DNA sequence: AAGTGGTCTAGACCACTAC
DNA sequence: TAGTGGTCTAGACCACTTA
């Protein structure tokens, strides 16, 4: 290992070895660049990487501190469902079960920051892998983000259309385990009450909220992340 | 917005606008730095950020391509359980339910890359939030990573001891929804079959596998991530 | 063999913020 | 107000990989 990665490793070693304790101030970039015999920019590269990893916290004028709680970060790649299925070596298909305008429920508008009872497009899509139910997608979509004429969501899945055509800026995703509702059980072909992995995702665009989606996964589904 | 972030934004705009289509080659750093009137290093900073975000793929000699599948990445901060509980404003406590040496089951040794039937330390910890069961932690720990004398896991939770004292290098985490087993139901105080959010984590150290842990969360638990 | 991205340097300016 | 990190520049060398 050479270059800025070597410096990152050495700084990380000192932190783990408690030479630089949690919450403590570490030497400035200038001092470190002298000690290691490299340019300040190289030290900056190493410290920037450690800051992104959550190991240190940097503030102008205040200097660089070792993070109090050593947080570990994992990265989740949120796939387009079709590609996720194909990557498992299964045939992909989807059914558009519902597509209508309706006043969005309060929890949805609240999370998206839209007025209560705002009319939104509700789309229910069942994604199938190898002919078997894979995910039930229940989506509330802000009609303001759609072009005229609107795309045909029976041909191209909403999921995919959004990824390709709307500049998604930020959002959050939450995972829970829930018993299958009567509707979910029927559509997914499982017994009511079966443990389902549910993902709820909220997405904001550049200038307007875009969508709220709930994904109920068939039993056995794993969401895998590396770190 | 100025500097490298402006360049990142402009490149991202061209990709979303299909000016540079998925899979297509984009101009080299040299060309872009001329067009934008900045140094090549500044363009490099912007493109490096986009590559980390998964928007583009860079290869030496081959140039920079727009990623075929627009993957969205979310970041999960894996918390120390005690701090997670305290952050929710609840009192934290844990009970060490089991602590023994035992031959590890095959799925565990296989995932960690240890020989079949290797003796490992098995620790079962119940974490409580506000006096109520929060997470049941079932852990297989490679005894080779422990110092002599071994720490007292009845005083300091394994979870926390590992984070503070072992240099964890890489690993993976998977989430599933599972019905509560008889044991889990009893310990967590729920009905058997209740939908539980389960996290399974494998961790490698610098020179040896460290641990495999299964976390069964009490009903209602949410794992939240931002992107 | 040649062109690309990855990295480093030495120097500089600036915004921010703790003091 | 002074010191820190954030950023930019112009130039350079190198490893890698594809043609």
């Amino acid at each position: 290992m050479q270059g800025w990665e070597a410096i990152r490793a050495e700084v990380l070693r000192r932190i783990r070895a408690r030479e630089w304790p949690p919450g403590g101030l570490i030497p400035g970039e200038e001092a470190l660049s002298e000690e290691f015999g490299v340019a300040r920019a190289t030290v900056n590269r190493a410290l920037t990487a450690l800051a992104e990893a959550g190991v240190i916290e940097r503030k102008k004028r205040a200097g660089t501190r070792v993070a109090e709680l050593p947080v570990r970060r994992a990265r989740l790649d949120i796939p387009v469902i079709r590609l996720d299925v194909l990557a498992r070596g299964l045939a992909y298909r989807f059914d558009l079960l519902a597509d209508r305008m309706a006043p969005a429920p309060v929890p949805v508008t609240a999370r998206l920051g839209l007025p209560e009872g705002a009319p939104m497009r509700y789309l229910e899509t069942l994604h199938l892998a190898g002919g078997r139910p894979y995910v039930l997608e229940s989506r509330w979509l802000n009609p303001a983000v759609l072009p005229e004429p609107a795309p045909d969501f029976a041909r191209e899945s909403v999921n995919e259309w959004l990824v390709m055509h709307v500049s998604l800026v930020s959002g959050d995703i939450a995972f829970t385990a829930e018993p299958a509702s009567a509707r979910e059980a029927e559509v997914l072909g499982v017994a009511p009450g079966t443990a389902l992995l549910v993902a709820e995702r909220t997405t904001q665009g550049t200038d307007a909220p875009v969508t709220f989606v709930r994904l109920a996964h068939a039993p056995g589904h794993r969401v895998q992340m590396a770190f």
Side-chain angles (χ1 to χ4, degrees), chain A:
Chain A
M1 189 155 31
Q2 285 175 24
W4 68 269
E5 290 187 294
I7 294 176
R8 177 183 60 182
E10 171 60 12
V11 169
L12 192 54
R13 190 196 63 74
R14 293 184 187 179
I15 290 173
R16 297 247 190 257
R18 298 284 182 290
E19 293 178 27
W20 294 336
L25 216 52
I26 78 173
E29 298 187 349
E30 186 71 40
L32 290 175
S33 67
E34 274 184 35
E35 181 194 340
F36 293 124
V38 298
R40 186 170 77 91
T42 305
V43 172
N44 183 279
R45 183 85 158 87
L47 296 188
T48 299
L50 285 171
E52 274 175 15
V55 176
I56 57 179
E57 286 164 3
R58 322 191 73 198
K59 272 192 220 155
K60 298 181 195 201
R61 173 62 183 168
T64 300
R65 292 185 173 280
V66 178
E68 285 286 357
L69 58 153
V71 174
R72 292 200 64 74
R73 289 192 173 146
R75 219 184 48 201
L76 171 68
D77 292 336
I78 304 171
V80 174
I81 295 175
R82 177 176 63 85
L83 297 173
D84 190 27
V85 169
L86 295 179
R88 289 164 199 257
L90 297 170
Y92 173 75
R93 186 164 67 80
F94 74 90
D95 280 342
L96 185 59
L97 302 182
D99 182 354
R100 59 169 180 272
M101 290 296 293
V106 172
V108 172
T109 50
R111 288 226 227 170
L112 287 172
L114 287 170
E116 251 186 58
M120 297 185 73
R121 186 140 169 197
Y122 178 73
L123 296 136
E124 206 173 70
T125 311
L126 178 67
H127 301 266
L128 298 107
R132 303 175 53 178
Y134 185 68
V135 176
L136 174 61
E137 169 188 327
S138 312
R139 182 185 296 270
W140 292 90
L141 180 60
N142 183 356
V145 306
L146 293 175
E148 291 289 350
D152 179 5
F153 291 133
R155 282 190 53 245
E156 184 177 17
S157 85
V158 208
N159 184 296
E160 208 145 335
W161 186 88
L162 278 173
V163 172
M164 296 298 278
H165 295 86
V166 177
S167 190
L168 307 174
V169 167
S170 66
D172 62 87
I173 183 170
F175 292 97
T176 56
E178 296 182 24
S181 67
R183 170 80 178 145
E184 287 162 347
E186 177 199 341
V187 173
L188 292 173
V190 300
T194 303
L196 300 182
L197 184 63
V198 172
E200 290 185 343
R201 208 156 75 214
T202 307
T203 312
Q204 306 285 332
T206 38
D207 32 38
V210 175
T211 191
F212 170 86
V213 61
R214 174 191 163 95
L215 301 171
H217 298 84
H221 189 91
R222 293 172 70 85
V223 171
Q224 191 104 21
M225 312 171 57
F227 60 83

